[in-house]
Amino acid sequence: MLCPICNGLEQLSAACPVCSSPADDCGLLVDYTAPYAPYQPYDEASSNFMETMIFDQKCQHVVYCQRCDVVYEVTIQKWREGGT
């Protein structure tokens, strides 16, 4: 399963829930909440975390509206191999 937004296959188009203006994709939610894995030793907890990220069917992105100064989350449905 892969996220079409993370893999550059589609652009995230999200409207602000407050003013309906186009909002900016700020990346994955996990980038803001997860441990900084590249410099941490491998352990079972980080392995379980990565398995959850890879096999989860949805991808959470952080989105920001410049007009309202509002940050919120958008859930993206991941694609299965061979199609959507």
Side-chain angles (χ1 to χ4, degrees):
M1 303 202 68
L2 64 92
C3 174
I5 307 303
C6 293
N7 287 281
L9 301 171
E10 288 185 356
Q11 287 191 3
L12 184 90
S13 60
C16 173
V18 176
C19 71
S20 300
S21 294
D24 300 325
D25 182 12
C26 296
L28 292 171
L29 175 63
V30 70
D31 288 345
Y32 295 91
T33 60
Y36 191 58
Y39 297 106
Q40 293 186 350
Y42 178 83
D43 62 10
E44 189 172 326
S46 63
S47 173
N48 290 341
F49 175 77
M50 290 309 293
E51 286 178 17
T52 300
M53 284 293 301
I54 292 167
F55 296 110
D56 192 15
Q57 295 181 5
K58 296 182 190 310
C59 191
Q60 293 291 117
H61 284 253
V62 176
V63 182
Y64 172 69
C65 176
Q66 293 181 15
R67 184 175 183 193
C68 296
D69 196 31
V70 174
V71 176
Y72 59 99
E73 298 170 26
V74 173
T75 302
I76 307 297
Q77 181 68 41
K78 289 184 178 180
W79 293 355
R80 297 186 185 278
E81 286 186 47
T84 58

